[in-house]
Amino acid sequence: MHYTGLVTDPVQVCMVKRTVQPHTSYTYDYKGKTYHFCCTVCLSKFKADPDHLRLATDPVSGKPVDKAEALIYSYQGHAYFFLSKRTLKKFTKHPEKYLAQG
């Protein structure tokens, strides 16, 4: 069974695998922001392409969002990143609708 809900501590999210974990072990500061990872493999992937991997797409608005600044919501074991409380709230009411669009 997977945790569903707002992730209030980004230390719980691997920002490459986009999974919620009890605690991530690795961090990397990039352009004044901190990113979190579960293992050295994910950390290495991020270091190889940080400008691409630091971004996610808000599943409601379709706009890019920096993972270090985003609101994070866990649904079915996957972490989703949001630009605003408004898009997060829409997603939580009908997640399957937005996941089907992706």
Side-chain angles (χ1 to χ4, degrees):
M1 183 171 195
H2 299 290
Y3 167 77
T4 295
L6 184 64
V7 178
T8 57
D9 188 354
V11 170
Q12 296 177 290
V13 177
C14 177
M15 294 185 173
V16 170
K17 289 184 181 177
R18 298 180 183 195
T19 57
V20 177
Q21 321 214 347
H23 190 278
T24 55
S25 300
Y26 301 91
T27 61
Y28 183 68
D29 289 331
Y30 180 71
K31 294 186 177 181
K33 299 173 188 166
T34 303
Y35 299 86
H36 304 275
F37 311 96
C38 64
C39 63
T40 57
V41 172
C42 289
L43 174 59
S44 295
K45 285 180 182 180
F46 185 86
K47 285 181 176 181
D49 193 5
D51 286 321
H52 174 73
L53 291 174
R54 71 180 179 82
L55 299 175
T57 301
D58 181 314
V60 175
S61 70
K63 294 180 181 178
V65 59
D66 192 306
K67 294 174 187 174
E69 299 174 327
L71 294 168
I72 305 169
Y73 188 80
S74 176
Y75 181 72
Q76 295 183 345
H78 190 83
Y80 296 92
F81 300 85
F82 297 88
L83 285 169
S84 69
K85 290 179 182 177
R86 181 186 60 78
T87 59
L88 172 62
K89 186 176 179 180
K90 282 185 173 184
F91 181 85
T92 61
K93 288 183 179 181
H94 305 287
E96 296 303 326
K97 170 185 173 183
Y98 295 103
L99 296 178
Q101 294 174 3

